[in-house]
Amino acid sequence: MYAKVNSLGVAGLNGYTVQVETDLSGGLPQFTMVGLPDSAVKESSERVRSALKNLHYQWPASRITVNLAPADVRKTGPVYDLPVFISIMAAQGKLPAVSGESAFLGELGLDGTLRPVNGVLPMALAAVQNGIKELFLPAENAAEAAVAKGLTVYPARTAQQVVLHLCGAEKLTPAEPTGYDADGVWLGADMADVRGQLVARRALEVAACGGHNLVFVGSPGSGKSMLAKRLPGILPPLTYEEAVETSAVYSVAGLVPAGKGLVRARPFRSPHHSVSATAIAGGGSVPRPGEVSLAHNGVLFLDELPEFSREALEVLRQPLEDGIVTVSRVHGSATYPCKFMLVAAMNPCKCGYLGHPTRPCSCTPSAVDQYLRRISGPLMDRIDLHVHVEPVAYGDLAQAADGESSAAIRTRVAAVRQLQRERYKALSGVYCNAQLPGNRLRQFCPMTPAAEAVLRAAFERMGLSARAYDRILRVSRTVADMDGSEVLDSRHIAEAVQYRSLDRRFTPVSL
């Protein structure tokens, strides 16, 4: 006796269909699973056996062969428990023929309950692309799978509910999509709490408008971390497409809250400085998304930047340039998106008080140089805005009035971002100035003669690299957009150069 049901798998962020074939034949009772299953998949035989017994169904007293096709792709995780259960039931003739337009996934408990699994959203999207109309899965994953348009999702608490539905005894109720509000209200930390710091606030708004990377340099207690944590609140809300991309990453990582569909707020990831390079880029024996991918369409905040290991910092260079990261391991490779804004905070020296107006620095020049050498020149080149954060004055702290709110700033940022989307709509994958390719800078960044003279003088005086030149143009484009100008003027170039002046002040020439 033979039966075949559809299931799904995920490799990286790409879902694919899996056919679970079960054959019952004569011979001594034995269970064999083929098709490159990992240990978690192989163990499904014991879970399925116990579930059948505890749900008062019969385990076949024959030789059972289960094949997971395609056989050349490694299958991982407990996602195939439910389809193996259904295929064994169908092979015994206890279920009607299962439609080829139906698919099953989910982990089984020993009592037949269904438990949630990871990677459901990419698998649901792949199901739609492969002509599958119905998906049976654990109830906790239903909201996530319902995001896929054109797919009827049947949430179940136990395997018996799926059996009764297929037999026509008790029909399951399809899950309804929760919908998506593109104008979500930010409920996190507000910019109104920030006192003073006009230069830093301006730089933060410029970074948000253009999607630029940013580093704050200042003494302890000057508000660097406070400012960085308020960046997501002034960024535009996630579009539906961005929300689906971000949710797919979180689905694979198993970080989508149970019962939730899409990730609705821009991610803000802040790993500790002891984090490894693998945790930053992603990896493991089975590749998993790292911090750069979990920050996709959001913010990656690195506090105390020089305290991170050199290896962890250098691994950021390629993701910052390409917007994707490929993780290769023995069992295969996976590519994850990682278009994020890098925001970092650091002290100007080891004691933290170099250049402080009232507290003396206790570091020697060589100690300052050694501290700053922890950050390489190529990495600093990839950070568009270097901003010195001065200590907050007493008068600013004592003022009663709140500063400008995040909501007000967010409105301006959203308008500038929309302007950029319209400008770059003919360019694939370009949505803001920070993503503008170098070969299109001349086309979209026309300069007045005065602006070109300012840029030439700054380039020669500061000894900037070609990458820094490109980034100055991108920041200038953003400043001009905020000013409502299509042509870059000298004041736009001057402000962008000002954000690179910390290269000379805080980064030693030896870098």
Side-chain angles (χ1 to χ4, degrees):
M1 293 175 284
Y2 170 84
K4 179 176 68 175
V5 302
N6 291 322
S7 186
L8 299 151
V10 63
L13 284 188
N14 299 316
Y16 59 92
T17 57
V18 174
Q19 293 181 338
V20 180
E21 300 175 302
T22 298
D23 179 69
L24 305 182
S25 59
L28 294 175
Q30 183 181 1
F31 184 95
T32 304
M33 181 175 286
V34 296
L36 279 183
D38 71 353
S39 58
V41 178
K42 290 179 180 178
E43 291 168 356
S44 69
S45 64
E46 300 304 320
R47 292 190 292 270
V48 172
R49 185 198 302 266
S50 296
L52 280 166
K53 173 186 172 183
N54 290 314
L55 292 175
H56 308 293
Y57 297 118
Q58 183 180 2
W59 180 259
S62 57
R63 181 182 178 89
I64 307 171
T65 304
V66 175
N67 177 44
L68 305 178
D72 60 342
V73 179
R74 189 169 185 83
K75 318 303 186 304
T76 61
V79 66
Y80 303 107
D81 288 3
L82 179 60
V84 169
F85 179 100
I86 296 298
S87 66
I88 290 177
M89 292 281 290
Q92 295 181 89
K94 296 181 179 179
L95 286 177
V98 179
S99 169
E101 294 184 344
S102 299
F104 305 82
L105 58 89
E107 177 185 350
L108 279 176
L110 299 185
D111 59 351
T113 57
L114 284 173
R115 294 171 178 165
V117 293
N118 298 338
V120 167
L121 179 54
M123 289 189 280
L125 296 173
V128 175
Q129 294 171 359
N130 286 277
I132 292 174
K133 304 296 185 183
E134 299 178 331
L135 180 61
F136 297 83
L137 78 176
E140 290 85 348
N141 293 129
E144 193 178 337
V147 171
K149 298 177 180 177
L151 185 66
T152 303
V153 176
Y154 290 104
R157 297 288 177 185
T158 66
Q160 183 151 22
Q161 290 181 338
V162 179
V163 171
L164 294 176
H165 176 94
L166 295 175
C167 292
E170 295 182 17
K171 290 293 185 180
L172 292 168
T173 303
E176 294 292 335
T178 57
Y180 182 71
D181 178 13
D183 299 320
V185 177
W186 173 251
L187 300 176
D190 199 286
M191 286 289 289
D193 303 329
V194 179
R195 298 290 188 268
Q197 301 296 9
L198 297 181
V199 173
R201 289 172 64 104
R202 168 69 178 181
L204 202 64
E205 185 173 345
V206 170
C209 286
H212 303 289
N213 302 321
L214 171 73
V215 59
F216 286 126
V217 184
S219 57
S222 55
K224 305 184 296 295
S225 300
M226 182 181 186
L227 285 160
K229 291 174 181 177
R230 281 152 178 76
L231 176 57
I234 66 174
L235 291 173
L238 287 170
T239 64
Y240 178 78
E241 292 75 15
E242 289 175 330
V244 171
E245 288 178 358
T246 306
S247 300
V249 176
Y250 275 68
S251 176
V252 170
L255 296 177
V256 176
K260 299 292 184 181
L262 293 174
V263 173
R264 299 173 183 274
R266 290 193 180 271
F268 182 85
R269 304 292 298 182
S270 181
H272 190 261
H273 59 73
S274 61
V275 68
S276 67
T278 300
I280 289 285
S285 57
V286 177
R288 286 308 210 192
E291 292 291 340
V292 294
S293 299
L294 294 174
H296 181 56
N297 290 322
V299 177
L300 177 63
F301 176 48
L302 303 183
D303 202 4
E304 303 297 342
L305 184 65
E307 301 301 330
F308 286 77
S309 69
R310 186 67 172 249
E311 186 182 9
L313 291 179
E314 294 308 301
V315 82
L316 289 169
R317 287 161 59 174
Q318 181 261 338
L320 283 172
E321 286 290 321
D322 300 340
I324 58 171
V325 59
T326 300
V327 181
S328 297
R329 293 296 184 268
V330 173
H331 296 307
S333 63
T335 299
Y336 301 108
C338 57
K339 291 184 178 180
F340 60 93
M341 289 179 61
L342 174 63
V343 180
M346 58 180 288
N347 295 333
C349 64
K350 191 170 183 62
C351 78
Y353 295 104
L354 179 66
H356 194 280
T358 58
R359 298 189 61 169
C361 173
S362 61
C363 301
T364 63
S366 62
V368 174
D369 185 70
Q370 184 179 14
Y371 180 75
L372 295 174
R373 279 178 184 271
R374 298 180 185 179
I375 308 171
S376 69
L379 179 60
M380 290 294 285
D381 256 358
R382 288 167 169 82
I383 300 178
D384 304 346
L385 287 79
H386 309 163
V387 182
H388 181 56
V389 182
E390 297 288 348
V392 185
Y394 176 81
D396 293 328
L397 289 173
Q399 67 180 358
D402 290 338
E404 189 177 20
S405 69
S406 292
I409 301 173
R410 191 186 206 187
T411 301
R412 294 198 299 268
V413 170
V416 175
R417 283 287 188 104
Q418 182 59 35
L419 174 68
Q420 294 168 29
R421 281 182 174 273
E422 290 295 324
R423 179 190 296 136
Y424 304 133
K425 61 184 178 182
L427 301 181
S428 176
V430 179
Y431 305 105
C432 60
N433 291 329
Q435 299 168 354
L436 184 61
N439 60 354
R440 295 300 189 103
L441 287 173
R442 283 294 179 186
Q443 176 184 351
F444 293 103
C445 301
M447 292 183 284
T448 64
E452 192 157 2
V454 171
L455 182 56
R456 178 187 295 274
F459 185 85
E460 294 173 352
R461 185 177 67 254
M462 298 173 64
L464 299 174
S465 67
R467 183 180 289 113
Y469 170 85
D470 288 351
R471 293 187 179 274
I472 286 176
L473 283 180
R474 293 188 183 103
V475 174
S476 301
R477 175 71 273 166
T478 299
V479 175
D481 289 343
M482 296 169 69
D483 199 27
S485 173
E486 278 300 316
V487 179
L488 307 188
D489 203 352
S490 57
R491 65 183 183 277
H492 306 138
I493 297 290
E495 182 173 350
V497 169
Q498 169 194 319
Y499 296 133
R500 301 296 305 191
S501 64
L502 296 180
D503 276 336
R504 293 200 309 171
R505 185 174 178 185
F506 289 103
T507 306
V509 176
S510 56
L511 290 181

